[in-house]
Amino acid sequence: MAKIRRNEKKEMPALNTSSLPDIIFMLLFFFMTVTSMKEVSYKVRFTVPQATELTKMEKKSLVRYIYVGTPTEEFRKQYGAETRIQLDDAFAEVSEIENYIVNERSAMQESDQGQMTVSIKADSNTRMGVIADIKQALRRAYALKINYAATQRTSY
Amino acid sequence: MAGGKKKVPALNASSMADISFLLLIFFLVTTSMDVSQGLARRLPAPIPPDQKIEDTDINKRNLFVVKINSMNQLLVQGQEMNVRQLKEKAKEFIQNPNDDPNLPKVFTEDFGEPFGMVAYTPDHVISVQNDVDTQYQAYLDVQNELVAAYNELREECAQKYCHKSFNELDEETQKVIQKIYPQKISEAEPKNYGGSK
């Protein structure tokens, strides 16, 4: 019968972790390629509507965003649960949109100014009254190229 | 130097994993997964304040009216309709394949090679009117279906004359097809119901 040696101390062989950096780097590159930098931190919560005829927005630097939705939990007390507009990092009124767009446009290069696109990221439950106000403001600011942000519809 | 080969001491790379983990976590936190895509539209130029809104006279047969009420119900050309039927109806209106006197007037024009004589309806207008309380999703559904109708017509046209997909065609041919099927979706000027502005 084999002798069972119990008292002898056995050391665990060291795990070879030399390929760990490679694996992590691979993950890193994967995430770097499939994601894009976050534009702002959202102060409003929204789920964009669904559609099928989508076009991808080219030239991210020429796109400005208008977020429309209900304030997130932490801003509920201050701003209530009504639909609000967010420009860049702050809440805004409809009357401020025109100024914002004009300022943003004049900060761009002159050759790019005509290419500016405004993307409206609005919650699918928003009432059209708000959207119509925004559209009128954009028209006054001569930002006529717009884009209604939406996600691909998978089923009806 | 002594003739013997000198061994290079192994680099201690054990912290490499930590460094790359750090980078990975940084990118995970600062980036977002969603790709920006959406329905591209063009707004009409603003009306100067001193100019009165003129009621442009559009022949009734050239007009396709889509109304959305506050309950997100559709009224297309005076009859109630589901969103899913809208695309077919719009396509029939834009094309007017049977030269129906109630649908837009058909003109035939020479568009050059490889199109030749093509029947089209240059004067048609699709008008979308919505209520203040309409849901954004319902409004976008309608816009989406109308854009889909145009896209399908253009695709069909490209397949018929060029035997290629619309996206594969060169820019000039695409422009010609866009001229045959121009996107004419008009939105009513929102009415002002009181208020200071």
Side-chain angles (χ1 to χ4, degrees):
Chain A
M1 237 174 76
K3 216 176 170 183
I4 302 170
R5 286 176 292 181
R6 217 170 266 180
N7 296 345
E8 222 169 279
K9 247 192 189 169
K10 231 188 179 176
E11 239 179 79
M12 253 257 281
L15 210 65
N16 186 1
T17 55
S18 58
S19 56
L20 193 60
D22 303 349
I23 298 167
I24 307 299
F25 262 119
M26 224 159 72
L27 272 174
L28 174 66
F29 289 138
F30 170 73
F31 276 102
M32 273 174 75
T33 44
V34 299
T35 59
S36 55
M37 280 280 182
K38 211 189 254 175
E39 301 126 20
V40 286
S41 53
Y42 297 141
K43 289 188 171 177
V44 290
R45 185 185 300 150
F46 57 85
T47 358
V48 291
Q50 298 182 320
T52 52
E53 307 300 310
L54 300 176
T55 43
K56 265 199 188 134
M57 266 180 283
E58 289 146 17
K59 290 196 188 157
K60 279 260 171 79
S61 58
L62 300 179
V63 182
R64 292 294 175 274
Y65 296 91
I66 295 175
Y67 308 95
V68 185
T70 51
T72 48
E73 229 46 81
E74 47 188 318
F75 297 105
R76 279 282 157 80
K77 270 204 182 122
Q78 206 178 341
Y79 293 98
E82 271 294 297
T83 303
R84 303 279 304 196
I85 299 166
Q86 183 190 346
L87 295 174
D88 272 347
D89 272 323
F91 285 111
E93 295 294 328
V94 176
S95 53
E96 292 166 45
I97 292 176
E98 200 178 334
N99 248 329
Y100 168 77
I101 296 294
V102 171
N103 281 341
E104 288 290 320
R105 186 167 42 208
S106 56
M108 283 180 186
Q109 273 183 16
E110 216 170 310
S111 55
D112 292 339
Q113 289 183 357
Q115 304 277 328
M116 185 168 100
T117 311
V118 178
S119 175
I120 300 176
K121 289 196 171 188
D123 190 81
S124 53
N125 287 319
T126 313
R127 291 157 67 241
M128 274 312 289
V130 183
I131 308 285
D133 286 346
I134 294 171
K135 270 160 59 186
Q136 287 306 100
L138 289 176
R139 280 179 68 186
R140 281 197 298 274
Y142 258 95
L144 304 180
K145 261 181 91 170
I146 61 164
N147 190 305
Y148 300 111
T151 49
Q152 188 70 40
R153 193 203 322 269
T154 42
S155 66
Y156 243 116
Chain B
M1 275 263 198
K5 254 193 193 166
K6 233 187 176 177
K7 252 194 188 167
V8 181
L11 213 65
N12 186 2
S14 57
S15 56
M16 192 71 132
D18 303 348
I19 296 168
S20 40
F21 254 127
L22 217 76
L23 274 171
L24 175 67
I25 289 163
F26 169 73
F27 272 97
L28 276 178
V29 171
T30 55
T31 57
S32 56
M33 200 70 158
D34 63 320
V35 271
S36 298
Q37 47 182 7
L39 201 68
R41 305 284 315 125
R42 223 187 146 75
L43 294 174
I47 303 165
D50 52 336
Q51 191 186 319
K52 268 191 188 165
I53 300 172
E54 286 170 33
D55 283 330
T56 35
D57 203 23
I58 298 169
N59 201 333
K60 199 170 167 271
R61 65 181 285 193
N62 287 329
L63 194 63
F64 186 77
V65 184
V66 183
K67 286 181 179 170
I68 323 165
N69 74 359
S70 56
M71 308 290 286
N72 303 333
Q73 290 158 325
L74 286 189
L75 195 72
V76 181
Q77 296 286 63
Q79 48 177 297
E80 219 176 301
M81 193 175 279
N82 193 307
V83 175
R84 283 173 233 194
Q85 296 161 302
L86 180 63
K87 186 167 75 186
E88 287 309 312
K89 188 92 178 165
K91 273 173 81 174
E92 192 193 339
F93 169 81
I94 297 162
Q95 265 189 313
N96 191 8
N98 303 325
D99 208 356
D100 191 322
N102 292 321
L103 294 176
K105 199 165 170 13
V106 178
F107 291 86
T108 317
E109 203 183 306
D110 192 3
F111 282 96
E113 283 300 314
F115 298 100
M117 300 297 273
V118 180
Y120 74 132
T121 58
D123 295 333
H124 77 265
V125 173
I126 295 177
S127 166
V128 181
Q129 295 165 20
N130 60 269
D131 193 88
V132 187
D133 276 325
T134 305
Q135 216 186 349
Y136 182 48
Q137 173 77 62
Y139 167 80
L140 211 69
D141 278 341
V142 169
Q143 291 275 340
N144 186 55
E145 291 306 306
L146 294 177
V147 173
Y150 279 109
N151 284 351
E152 270 185 28
L153 285 174
R154 287 174 181 176
E155 183 64 41
E156 279 167 23
C157 183
Q159 293 286 2
K160 189 176 164 194
Y161 294 104
C162 310
H163 309 289
K164 263 190 197 168
S165 168
F166 181 72
N167 290 327
E168 289 169 7
L169 293 173
D170 57 278
E171 225 168 281
E172 221 137 276
T173 326
Q174 283 191 356
K175 279 231 173 89
V176 176
I177 294 177
Q178 278 171 11
K179 217 179 143 194
I180 299 174
Y181 295 115
Q183 255 191 37
K184 287 191 175 174
I185 303 174
S186 126
E187 285 171 60
E189 292 283 326
K191 291 177 190 91
N192 209 342
Y193 303 101
S196 56
K197 244 198 158 176

